[in-house]
Amino acid sequence: MGATASGPDARANVTMDAAERIATDAKADAAVDTVEGIAADMKALSHPSRRQFCIAGGAAIVLAGTAALGQMTHQQADAVYVRPPGAESEASLLAKCDRCERCVQACPYDLVQPRPLSFDIPTVGTPEIVYKAGFCDFCMECVRVCPTGALSWDAPTVSDIGTAKVIKDACVAWAWEGCRVCVDVCPVEGALTLDERGRPQVNETLCNGCGLCELECPAPSLRAYDAAAAEKGIYVVSRESAAAAQPGALTTEQFETGRFVRAEGGLR
Amino acid sequence: MNRMRYLRIGIAAAILVAVFACAIAHVSIGTLCALCPVGFAEIVVASGSLPWELLPGVVAVLAVVFLLGRVFCSWVCPTSLLKNVFGGKTPRGLTGRSGSCAGCGLGADPNEGRIRNSLAAQGIVLVVLLVVSFIVHFPVFCLLCPIGLVFGTLFAVSRMFVTWQPGWELIVFPAILVLELFVLRRWCSAICPLGFFFGLAAKARSRVGFLPGVRVRAASCKHAEGCDVCTATCPENICAATATARDMEDCTLCFDCREHCPSSAITMKPDFATSKAKRSVDCSDDRDH
Ligand code: SF4
Ligand code: SF4
Ligand code: SF4
Ligand code: SF4
Ligand code: SF4
Ligand code: SF4
């Protein structure tokens, strides 16, 4: 009766056996197993679903286009960002992160934020560190919750996410002496000291990029606003960046042009 | 009136609100991407590593689809939420609901003319996205996925509260969403690669006939007298009265047909009857309700 269920007779008394019809077809369709089901879909290519195949083809082209555009902008930007602890490299983070935003939710100090949409399209939504509301105490919450391995315990960055750079023309101590806020707050012994002229200098081997100095730097409130100078006197940058590759304190220009740019020969 | 639709809107919206609240409360439940089979596959091919910790969530979602049907699509997915809120009577636009059943008046089975979800088309999209993700080494589809775009917009808002710098994605993401969901109306039936995995799970479940799903009590169904309410309300254009198990694979358990059926002929209870030879006995029991 499974064979007649879809015939015209069955349709005539559909009221009587609607439930049974589902029943019989469930049985008949039991033969249509997963793979055969897809094969059946393939066969049905002829009539209504041809349009769906056109749509699928169109979607495939759009996907390929997105990939090409993304790849092109990503290579051209060749950018580096300060990432949460445990990011092995830009490439590894980008390949593994599915933007589940768990790390963003986990960070107790709102440090981890999804990257905004920029010229570097594929990085949108992946986590970067923004020292606006706090600094990193390496609590490792972000690494602990990441389900994809984009942030992993094995990466060297679990205890070092970047390095601080003093900005000569923005740091108050470089202009007049006297300010030592960053040196006082730095939690890492010896990472930030005053040189013989009272200016902060970073020991880049010791600095771990926690960002407390950047967070606490009072330069914006001590100095008159100057559009040509960076806002703060000290910033944390990625160790792969061109800014980090230059020794000592930077000018605002060096900082701004090198902050998100990969240094020559930097880890990809 | 549309009680079920409002309920679906409520539940899907509550999920978004919960995810957003967790970003503020620092509870790392993650977005739906933490449960996504497509994201999992993309990471595997893009990075060449297995994201083990994603696996339990992915398996759990597929298990739910296997046991309950494609409930994810109706009740959880933000795509359906947007369509339920903005799409009027076409929550999951295939061709859009006509509001009437094309086949009923003509004596033809409406299910024969309906446009099915195309696993094959979704499969093609899946294969292509995996190939391109493999080539460029990042999860490409996530940049276009409506689920990812909804959460992307949500987190762009939450970031704005920290940085006070709105990003372009606040405009671009919603624009892509509108394009995908309201211009390309066949997203769910022919493109969404998550739908491919859910479709596979639904196929597997339809082999086990007794799991809960839409059933029509033949005794009270008025289809033969010309009633086409279930077809007209169904976002998948399924005519529940004459649906085969294969038609029912597309059912997202939205419960619209059940709500609107004038003779309350539709039930959702597990039907142990259909899987066994004794089903005819049980079916006649059914008619006594
Ligand atoms: S280690 Fe802790 S403080 Fe640092 S970014 Fe991760 S969650 Fe935030
Ligand atoms: S938790 Fe991991 S996968 Fe999720 S957004 Fe953060 S880095 Fe990406
Ligand atoms: S980022 Fe600043 S505060 Fe943190 S360790 Fe480096 S110099 Fe010290
Ligand atoms: S088919 Fe895809 S986009 Fe559509 S409702 Fe289901 S999961 Fe969401
Ligand atoms: S963006 Fe879409 S495809 Fe990517 S992981 Fe999230 S739900 Fe899955
Ligand atoms: S058959 Fe009923 S429950 Fe299933 S999708 Fe159609 S209206 Fe919704």
Side-chain angles (χ1 to χ4, degrees):
Chain A
M1 69 183 151
T4 57
S6 55
D9 313 324
R11 197 160 296 129
N13 54 9
V14 69
T15 333
M16 292 313 293
D17 62 6
E20 208 168 321
R21 203 184 133 86
I22 295 181
T24 12
D25 278 322
K27 214 175 164 199
D29 278 20
V32 183
D33 97 318
T34 310
V35 178
E36 284 172 42
I38 302 172
D41 275 333
M42 288 285 195
K43 254 195 234 152
L45 200 146
S46 57
H47 195 46
S49 64
R50 171 184 283 158
R51 258 183 99 176
Q52 293 181 316
F53 277 92
C54 294
I55 295 167
I61 293 168
V62 171
L63 268 169
T66 309
L69 181 72
Q71 180 74 341
M72 197 192 76
T73 58
H74 182 63
Q75 271 171 0
Q76 200 134 71
D78 201 17
V80 286
Y81 311 97
V82 181
R83 300 293 198 175
E88 215 161 282
S89 64
E90 281 294 318
S92 136
L93 183 102
L94 200 58
K96 291 178 184 165
C97 173
D98 71 355
R99 305 164 177 84
C100 73
E101 315 295 15
R102 272 194 175 176
C103 50
V104 175
Q105 290 174 323
C107 180
Y109 316 111
D110 289 328
L111 233 81
V112 184
Q113 294 298 330
R115 267 201 54 67
L117 185 60
S118 63
F119 179 72
D120 193 359
I121 296 171
T123 60
V124 64
T126 57
E128 71 174 339
I129 296 285
V130 177
Y131 302 100
K132 277 272 162 58
F135 70 102
C136 179
D137 64 2
F138 296 92
C139 68
M140 294 298 142
E141 276 305 300
C142 51
V143 182
R144 191 179 62 76
V145 300
C146 177
T148 64
L151 307 179
S152 83
W153 296 101
D154 310 327
T157 57
V158 284
S159 53
D160 173 27
I161 52 181
T163 183
K165 280 299 208 181
V166 176
I167 316 299
K168 294 177 197 173
D169 44 346
C171 171
V172 177
W174 275 69
W176 322 301
E177 272 192 35
C179 174
R180 49 172 299 151
V181 172
C182 57
V183 177
D184 290 342
V185 295
C186 177
V188 178
E189 184 79 40
L192 199 46
T193 48
L194 291 179
D195 66 7
E196 69 286 356
R197 293 166 64 185
R199 305 177 302 195
Q201 61 181 5
V202 181
N203 180 332
E204 294 178 15
T205 329
L206 294 177
C207 171
N208 58 22
C210 77
L212 187 52
C213 52
E214 175 179 331
L215 185 71
E216 297 292 332
C217 174
S221 59
L222 294 179
R223 249 188 316 106
Y225 175 74
D226 177 2
E231 198 189 337
K232 302 233 170 177
I234 190 163
Y235 282 95
V236 175
V237 297
S238 161
R239 286 191 188 269
E240 309 299 326
S241 68
Q246 283 157 312
L250 305 176
T251 63
T252 295
E253 203 207 333
Q254 284 175 320
F255 165 66
E256 275 170 2
T257 54
R259 184 179 192 179
F260 297 123
V261 177
R262 185 185 306 280
E264 289 284 319
L267 182 71
R268 247 156 232 282
Chain B
M1 271 308 302
N2 289 309
R3 209 157 34 88
M4 281 301 162
R5 188 168 134 216
Y6 296 135
L7 197 59
R8 292 198 301 275
I9 291 175
I11 289 181
I15 291 170
L16 293 189
V17 170
V19 170
F20 191 83
C22 284
I24 295 166
H26 302 300
V27 180
S28 51
I29 58 167
T31 68
L32 292 175
C33 299
L35 308 170
C36 172
V38 177
F40 178 85
E42 281 181 298
I43 293 170
V44 170
V45 296
S47 72
S49 65
L50 261 178
W52 288 111
E53 285 169 54
L54 274 181
L55 211 50
V58 170
V59 170
V61 166
L62 292 178
V64 166
V65 173
F66 176 75
L67 291 173
L68 297 176
R70 302 180 56 165
V71 279
F72 181 92
C73 288
S74 265
W75 296 86
V76 178
C77 183
T79 302
S80 293
L81 172 67
L82 289 176
K83 289 188 172 184
N84 278 323
V85 173
F86 299 112
K89 290 191 74 174
T90 54
R92 298 188 66 226
L94 299 162
T95 47
R97 277 192 288 192
S98 59
S100 69
C101 163
C104 293
L106 308 168
D109 185 342
N111 288 318
E112 244 131 69
R114 66 177 275 271
I115 294 168
R116 294 167 192 271
N117 279 3
S118 173
L119 268 195
Q122 291 168 331
I124 292 173
V125 174
L126 181 67
V127 169
V128 171
L129 78 87
L130 290 180
V131 169
V132 293
S133 296
F134 175 75
I135 295 170
V136 299
H137 297 301
F138 60 83
V140 175
F141 180 74
C142 295
L143 295 173
L144 298 168
C145 173
I147 304 174
L149 292 175
V150 167
F151 283 107
T153 312
L154 205 67
F155 275 83
V157 172
S158 95
R159 189 193 61 225
M160 212 177 66
F161 285 122
V162 173
T163 65
W164 298 107
Q165 281 166 345
W168 280 108
E169 66 277 15
L170 285 171
I171 298 167
V172 175
F173 284 4
I176 304 178
L177 276 169
V178 168
L179 188 76
E180 284 173 353
L181 304 185
F182 301 112
V183 181
L184 295 175
R185 304 236 292 210
R186 305 197 184 202
W187 185 272
C188 291
S189 66
I191 298 176
C192 178
L194 277 82
F196 176 80
F197 286 98
F198 296 155
L200 280 191
K203 269 194 190 303
R205 98 187 283 274
S206 82
R207 296 201 63 187
V208 189
F210 59 82
L211 293 166
V214 166
R215 319 275 164 187
V216 176
R217 274 193 292 258
S220 18
C221 176
K222 301 278 185 294
H223 178 67
E225 281 102 82
C227 172
D228 65 351
V229 170
C230 58
T231 322
T233 48
C234 177
E236 306 295 331
N237 295 332
I238 299 170
C239 173
T242 62
T244 62
R246 187 146 175 269
D247 289 313
M248 276 304 163
E249 283 165 14
D250 295 347
C251 169
T252 59
L253 272 92
C254 70
F255 296 174
D256 272 352
C257 54
R258 184 165 177 263
E259 180 188 353
H260 292 285
C261 177
S263 48
S264 309
I266 293 170
T267 68
M268 295 284 167
K269 63 174 205 163
D271 194 346
F272 294 95
T274 52
S275 65
K276 301 277 170 290
K278 66 181 173 76
R279 75 191 133 68
S280 51
V281 183
D282 287 1
C283 274
S284 52
D285 282 353
D286 229 347
R287 287 168 196 176
D288 298 335
H289 289 305

